[in-house]
Amino acid sequence: MVDDKKQWKAWLYLSPVIILTLIFTVWPIINTLRIAFLDDYTLLEEVGGVKFSFGVQNFVKVVKYPGFKTCLLNTILLTVITVPISTMLALIIAVCLNSIKALNRLLQTIYFLPYVTNTIAIGLVFSTMFSMVGSGIGGENPIISTAGIINNIIEFFGGKAVNWVNMGSSYWANMFVMIVYIVWNALPFKILILLGGLQSVNKQYYEAAKVDGTSRFRTFWRITVPMLSPMLAYVIITGFIGGFKEYSSVVGVFGENMGPPGSENALNTMVGFINTNLMSGKPAEGRASAGALILFVIIFAVTMLNMYVSKKRVHY
């Protein structure tokens, strides 16, 4: 504890961080909440002295806005599908990495690289891998004509090329590309957290299980998973929060259209809906704030549900 007479020094040292947090975090949250309940709010009109009535018209307009249900469904699908898959894969890879002694550091670095790479750049790479370039697809007389790296692999094993992201591609083909990308991009952080947890597990548990002749699967299920439950709860909760905020990944793969050519906004998400659709018309600030508040309530409810389940399943 800090001496009462010296507390002013602690507050002095913390004051820059506190001030910046109040300006750039606390006030924007309060202001967003305020604007969401001001009907047809616009900043320019407020500066001009216009008074706005208090109500819920912004929320009604958001719900009735074209594409809202599609954006909400896309966000839920991407989150519900990618979080369990990425968590399971991260757990398996972390266990494998923890058991490898040679080149352990090198492999950890390789797996962590996507986490420090620009999201848009990775999205462009994925878009290129899944794209088909040729006459009628990539333009007239293209320099290179190819079905794409992924389709080349599929055809090598006797499969048929699939139109993943080009014009005329199906919704589920687009969704598959996004799921693969989001899962791959989410793995590094989860692997790092779970690997750190594995390395802190007391080795005596495994030695005792080995003496008792316990199978590897039972050891994994009865020792590894319970001991990692706090880390698993953390990566699941943060995974759901990140999943509901997906936006840059879709832009990276499909560009500003948020979908393949000819189907604009087919894969738009809630954050994309707030950033693009709501800001395209006037007045926009009130509807954008209402959309952000709706997303906050969804994330908060899912987080509380996860924490409730964690209390019964997590072993500290």
Side-chain angles (χ1 to χ4, degrees), residues 18-35 38 41 43 46 289:
I18 294 173
I19 292 170
L20 290 173
T21 302
L22 289 173
I23 294 173
F24 295 105
T25 302
V26 177
W27 167 244
I29 293 173
I30 295 172
N31 195 40
T32 299
L33 184 63
R34 177 182 73 90
I35 293 173
L38 296 178
Y41 172 90
L43 178 61
E46 184 182 43
S289 298

Side-chain angles (χ1 to χ4, degrees), residues 150-172:
I150 301 300
N151 278 330
N152 287 338
I153 295 172
I154 293 173
E155 289 177 338
F156 178 80
F157 288 100
K160 240 183 180 181
V162 179
N163 185 1
W164 297 106
V165 296
N166 297 93
M167 184 180 291
S169 56
S170 68
Y171 172 80
W172 287 109

Side-chain angles (χ1 to χ4, degrees), residues 21-258:
T21 302
L22 289 173
I23 294 173
F24 295 105
T25 302
V26 177
W27 167 244
I29 293 173
I30 295 172
N31 195 40
T32 299
L33 184 63
R34 177 182 73 90
I35 293 173
F37 289 96
L38 296 178
D39 293 342
D40 297 328
Y41 172 90
T42 57
L43 178 61
L44 290 176
E45 290 183 2
E46 184 182 43
V47 173
V50 176
K51 300 296 182 182
F52 301 94
S53 60
F54 183 86
V56 294
Q57 285 302 310
N58 290 324
F59 295 92
V60 174
K61 290 179 180 179
V62 167
V63 174
K64 291 183 177 180
Y65 207 82
F68 173 78
K69 291 181 180 178
T70 300
C71 294
L72 182 60
L73 178 63
N74 288 340
T75 304
I76 292 173
L77 279 176
L78 287 173
T79 304
V80 171
I81 294 173
T82 60
V83 172
I85 294 174
S86 60
T87 303
M88 287 301 300
L89 284 176
L91 178 59
I92 294 169
I93 293 171
V95 171
C96 294
L97 283 175
N98 191 52
S99 62
I100 297 173
K101 302 303 178 185
L103 303 177
N104 184 277
R105 298 293 181 187
L106 176 62
L107 291 172
Q108 287 183 40
T109 303
I110 292 172
Y111 273 102
F112 192 69
L113 282 176
Y115 189 71
V116 294
T117 306
N118 184 274
T119 305
I120 302 298
I122 298 174
L124 289 172
V125 172
F126 266 76
S127 179
T128 303
M129 290 171 60
F130 283 92
S131 289
M132 302 172 71
V133 180
S135 180
I137 298 173
E140 294 182 3
N141 302 319
I143 298 175
I144 300 174
S145 180
T146 175
I149 297 172
I150 301 300
N151 278 330
N152 287 338
I153 295 172
I154 293 173
E155 289 177 338
F156 178 80
F157 288 100
K160 240 183 180 181
V162 179
N163 185 1
W164 297 106
V165 296
N166 297 93
M167 184 180 291
S169 56
S170 68
Y171 172 80
W172 287 109
N174 301 157
M175 187 62 71
F176 177 81
V177 175
M178 288 311 309
I179 290 170
V180 172
Y181 168 60
I182 293 171
V183 167
W184 182 81
N185 198 38
L187 282 177
F189 176 74
K190 294 183 178 183
I191 290 172
L192 181 70
I193 297 297
L194 295 176
L195 191 58
L198 279 170
Q199 292 173 349
S200 64
V201 174
N202 194 329
K203 300 299 184 290
Q204 290 182 351
Y205 293 113
Y206 294 109
E207 291 172 2
K210 192 174 182 180
V211 170
D212 292 340
T214 308
S215 65
R216 289 187 178 183
F217 177 78
R218 191 171 177 81
T219 300
F220 171 79
W221 191 250
R222 294 295 184 180
I223 297 177
T224 304
V225 172
M227 295 301 289
L228 284 179
S229 56
M231 293 77 178
L232 285 169
Y234 173 75
V235 298
I236 289 172
I237 290 172
T238 54
F240 272 101
I241 293 173
F244 279 106
K245 296 193 298 180
E246 283 294 345
Y247 170 65
S248 58
S249 56
V250 183
V251 174
V253 175
F254 292 100
E256 293 181 356
N257 286 333
M258 304 290 283

Side-chain angles (χ1 to χ4, degrees), residues 268-308:
N268 203 356
T269 61
M270 282 296 294
V271 174
F273 182 68
I274 294 166
N275 290 343
T276 56
N277 289 16
L278 294 180
M279 301 304 286
S280 62
K282 294 181 181 181
E285 291 94 332
R287 287 180 290 158
S289 298
L293 197 58
I294 290 172
L295 181 60
F296 167 77
V297 170
I298 294 172
I299 293 174
F300 181 79
V302 173
T303 302
M304 291 298 103
L305 178 62
N306 276 319
M307 292 183 71
Y308 174 77

